[in-house]
Amino acid sequence: MASNQSTTPPPTLQRGKACLRCRKRKMRCDGSKPACQQCVRAKQNDACQYDDGKGKTRTQLLREHIERLEQRIRELEDPEYTSPSVTLHDPHRHGRSESSSSSLTGSPASTGFSLSVSSFSPSANNSPQSSWIQGIPSPSPTPFTDIYHEEPQPTIELAQTLVDVFFSHSRQSLLGLHMGRLRESFTRPVMEQHHPVLTNAIFLWACYISRPGPLSTHESHYLSRALDSLSDAIQYQNRLLDVIQASCLLSVYFLSNGRSLEGSYHANAAASLAIQCGLHGAMTNRSSFETTASISPFKLDPPKDAIEQGERILTFWHVFVLDRCWSVVLHKPVTIPHGSDGYASITMPWPQDMEEYVAGQIDDLHSFHTVRSFFEHQVANVRGGFSPLALRVKASALFERAHHLASTWDQPLVMSSAFTDDFQTLEHTIARFIQTLIPVHQLDATVPDEKHAYIATHTLAHAAMINLYYPFGAEDPVSYEKCLRAARCLVSIIKHIADTDYEYLDPIIGPCWTCAVDTLIRELNVIESSWPLVSSSDVRSEIGTMLYAMNNLSARFPLLGYSVAKVQKRLSGL
């Protein structure tokens, strides 16, 4: 006889109520707080976060925690300073007693850390904002200082908390490091840690993304320390990866703040070092890339495990994206060459999510020409290439290739058959790539991290189409329409960006929007100079949408402020 007892299934959560980790992995979540059972079983309690609009986010809690740490530091610096009573606690470990909380006054002697009393009180006159507004150059690094061994570092607790703040924006910066290992590294002896040039660059970003909060007042302090550490780090061959990663972070920091010369300098340095140490071919059957002369002193030691191997893959593609995207904005040649053979060939597999490297799953360890295969549609027998970061890399390559091809057209000359073939092939590649992306109307259903990555990818792909057709639009109606259609696709993407998304967007989106608004203004000029008169309300509405988005993004990235002012000035004359 069958039993009458039945098991009551767990209640189904409302849409959007599951934790971010379960949503990303499409797992059933019970909605328990502070950590759901799925995350508890996976020992990922700290990764269990909810985006339900109730209470404070983990990032807000971390920033408040840092403010409490800074307040305590002031008390330690000045015995006469009085402040409200501050009780330090870990916001994610509710059951821990006060006596078990980490001490602010120092750390175990074996770690080699000490506290710099004066390091947390930068003068307001030395803020990065004043330096780029007034044109004051950043201080030059002092050569051959022994910063690696002598410069005092933050306490372990403060360093780890800054890393936690940075982690919430790590996809935005594209830094490919395992954050768990990075946090743990601060407990090791100083010579076993990452070089201060990288850690200070990460701390700089933690302060930068905290604007306008109190933490942002330390930007100039960590910027100065990162730049000063650079000349020391370059002396250590085993710290080349730290130098490359720090140079990428410094470059994007400068570029997004409108400091283009400094940003270009660090981007070029990162790309040159990546090629010299063979990072672009580090996944071939050689432990490091050797030049034909075999005299390069830049040789990387073999990676210790799959995670370290994954970090190298992510680091190269971080450099590649930076080189391809910002070379277009800065109107300069790329540093990583287009070559497909020998020294210049890129044989690094497409980037994957860090979780796959942790699981030991690395795609295509054999040698193949990654970027060339993409452009030549050689996808057979090639695994991977569909992670959010891989799609971002492909969009960046298309963005630069379109700009490069369009710029090689010499207007007085008739198009050659070779140019026409290349042009049509690239157009087909861009169109086919866009079709492989998640549809724009489904962006709101993705988890926040992936949504922000897909927004950047969609934006770069449509901006590539604008780059390809814009020079021909004045003479060719077909090119004009395709360019205008791409600009309107960018407007449709903006409609899916919530106000809370802007602080997580990639800075390169700003220049892409500038290309789109230029296209729309050209359409407005055509409409308002035509006869008979045609209503321009639709295109003015589209331009208004673009300006709203650009204004929002410029609040985070001052780079865009000039473009906004320029567009508004042009519109005032229409």
Side-chain angles (χ1 to χ4, degrees):
M1 182 176 177
S3 173
N4 293 327
Q5 295 181 347
S6 61
T7 303
T8 303
T12 303
L13 285 179
Q14 295 180 8
R15 183 177 180 86
K17 297 297 185 181
C19 76
L20 297 181
R21 183 174 177 275
C22 289
R23 286 163 61 184
K24 181 176 181 180
R25 288 161 177 77
K26 297 180 173 59
M27 299 187 300
R28 182 182 295 276
C29 181
D30 60 10
S32 298
K33 297 181 181 179
C36 71
Q37 289 303 309
Q38 294 279 18
C39 293
V40 170
R41 283 196 292 270
K43 298 180 180 180
Q44 295 288 331
N45 301 53
D46 289 343
C48 189
Q49 301 180 49
Y50 290 89
D51 185 22
D52 55 7
K54 298 179 180 178
K56 297 179 180 179
T57 65
R58 185 167 182 260
T59 300
Q60 290 173 320
L61 291 171
L62 287 170
R63 289 174 181 170
E64 290 179 1
H65 186 50
I66 289 176
E67 291 176 23
R68 289 193 292 271
L69 291 175
E70 293 172 343
Q71 188 75 22
R72 181 60 178 148
I73 288 168
R74 291 185 65 184
E75 292 175 354
L76 294 172
E77 292 173 352
D78 185 1
E80 298 181 0
Y81 176 78
T82 58
S83 66
S85 176
V86 177
T87 302
L88 298 178
H89 68 280
D90 187 332
H92 294 283
R93 297 182 64 180
H94 302 287
R96 193 174 64 179
S97 65
E98 286 187 24
S99 61
S100 67
S101 61
S102 300
S103 170
L104 250 184
T105 57
S107 54
S110 62
T111 64
F113 283 102
S114 61
L115 182 64
S116 173
V117 172
S118 62
S119 63
F120 298 96
S121 302
S123 169
N125 293 330
N126 293 328
S127 68
Q129 293 94 328
S130 63
S131 67
W132 72 62
I133 291 173
Q134 299 173 15
I136 302 173
S138 301
S140 300
T142 304
F144 303 110
T145 53
D146 201 10
I147 294 172
Y148 194 10
H149 302 91
E150 297 179 0
E151 182 168 321
Q153 298 296 311
T155 62
I156 296 174
E157 186 176 12
L158 179 57
Q160 291 180 335
T161 308
L162 287 167
V163 168
D164 289 340
V165 173
F166 170 80
F167 178 66
S168 64
H169 291 254
S170 56
R171 278 186 181 262
Q172 186 178 33
S173 68
L174 299 180
L175 181 65
L177 280 180
H178 187 279
M179 290 298 154
R181 286 192 174 184
L182 176 61
R183 293 184 87 258
E184 185 272 335
S185 69
F186 293 108
T187 64
R188 301 181 200 160
V190 66
M191 290 302 292
E192 296 179 16
Q193 300 174 27
H194 289 283
H195 193 279
V197 69
L198 177 57
T199 54
N200 283 320
I202 291 172
F203 299 158
L204 166 67
W205 262 81
C207 297
Y208 174 36
I209 60 182
S210 297
R211 291 180 184 176
L215 185 58
S216 64
T217 60
H218 300 305
E219 267 187 63
S220 59
H221 166 69
Y222 286 118
L223 175 59
S224 177
R225 288 179 68 167
L227 292 173
D228 289 345
S229 301
L230 193 56
S231 59
D232 175 80
I234 203 69
Q235 301 175 70
Y236 299 92
Q237 184 175 321
N238 64 341
R239 291 293 180 249
L240 274 177
L241 282 175
D242 289 349
V243 173
I244 293 170
Q245 291 162 341
S247 296
C248 288
L249 291 177
L250 288 169
S251 176
V252 179
Y253 172 81
F254 283 128
L255 290 169
S256 62
N257 280 304
R259 301 169 67 170
S260 57
L261 289 178
E262 294 156 291
S264 178
Y265 171 82
H266 289 286
N268 290 343
S272 296
L273 283 175
I275 294 296
Q276 284 182 281
C277 71
L279 202 57
H280 60 305
M283 298 302 297
T284 63
N285 55 9
R286 293 165 289 186
S287 61
S288 64
F289 190 91
E290 297 180 3
T291 63
T292 52
S294 298
I295 60 173
S296 174
F298 304 100
K299 290 187 177 181
L300 299 175
D301 294 330
K304 297 182 179 65
D305 55 24
I307 293 178
E308 193 169 302
Q309 207 164 35
E311 289 180 338
R312 293 187 183 187
I313 295 172
L314 295 175
T315 296
F316 171 74
W317 290 116
H318 184 186
V319 176
F320 180 89
V321 166
L322 182 63
D323 182 52
R324 286 299 187 268
C325 289
W326 290 96
S327 65
V328 174
V329 180
L330 297 171
H331 299 283
K332 71 179 187 67
V334 295
T335 304
I336 299 176
H338 290 284
S340 58
D341 297 303
Y343 177 81
S345 60
I346 297 174
T347 55
M348 184 69 77
W350 296 115
Q352 302 165 242
D353 291 332
M354 180 57 74
E355 290 84 355
E356 295 182 80
Y357 298 130
V358 172
Q361 301 169 356
I362 300 181
D363 290 336
D364 293 302
L365 292 178
H366 62 278
S367 173
F368 75 96
H369 300 290
T370 322
V371 178
R372 191 177 98 184
S373 298
F374 170 60
F375 279 109
E376 296 180 358
H377 306 164
Q378 298 173 358
V379 295
N381 302 320
V382 176
R383 292 167 43 218
F386 298 100
S387 69
L389 184 54
L391 296 174
R392 171 76 166 80
V393 169
K394 293 176 181 179
S396 302
L398 291 170
F399 180 67
E400 188 278 331
R401 182 67 66 90
H403 178 268
H404 174 76
L405 182 60
S407 65
T408 60
W409 176 58
D410 191 356
Q411 190 170 1
L413 301 178
V414 178
M415 290 187 187
S416 65
S417 58
F419 180 89
T420 302
D421 290 343
D422 290 343
F423 191 95
Q424 292 175 346
T425 300
L426 183 56
E427 180 197 4
H428 174 67
T429 303
I430 296 172
R432 192 184 64 164
F433 174 73
I434 291 173
Q435 291 174 357
T436 67
L437 301 178
I438 181 174
V440 172
H441 68 271
Q442 294 181 13
L443 286 175
D444 295 331
T446 59
V447 296
D449 278 352
E450 292 187 358
K451 177 184 178 182
H452 304 143
Y454 287 134
I455 287 172
T457 300
H458 272 281
T459 300
L460 282 166
H462 290 292
M465 198 69 84
I466 295 175
N467 284 342
L468 188 63
Y469 280 107
Y470 193 89
F472 311 101
E475 302 294 335
D476 178 31
V478 174
S479 296
Y480 183 94
E481 285 301 321
K482 289 185 177 182
C483 190
L484 182 59
R485 191 182 309 133
R488 284 176 167 156
C489 286
L490 292 184
V491 174
S492 68
I493 293 170
I494 288 173
K495 294 177 181 178
H496 292 273
I497 301 176
D499 287 345
T500 53
D501 290 327
Y502 283 94
E503 66 173 307
Y504 296 98
L505 296 182
D506 193 311
I508 194 61
I509 289 177
C512 294
W513 285 348
T514 302
C515 293
V517 82
D518 284 345
T519 303
L520 293 171
I521 289 177
R522 182 169 69 175
E523 168 70 356
L524 181 63
N525 288 331
V526 170
I527 291 175
E528 298 196 340
S529 61
S530 64
W531 186 263
L533 294 177
V534 180
S535 173
S536 61
S537 59
D538 287 346
V539 70
R540 283 189 174 273
S541 176
E542 292 167 338
I543 293 172
T545 300
M546 295 295 307
L547 277 176
Y548 173 81
M550 293 170 71
N551 269 308
N552 277 350
L553 198 60
S554 67
R556 178 65 55 180
F557 304 124
L559 160 76
L560 213 53
Y562 171 76
S563 297
V564 171
K566 186 177 179 182
V567 170
Q568 290 174 335
K569 183 178 180 180
R570 289 177 65 184
L571 289 174
S572 65
L574 295 177

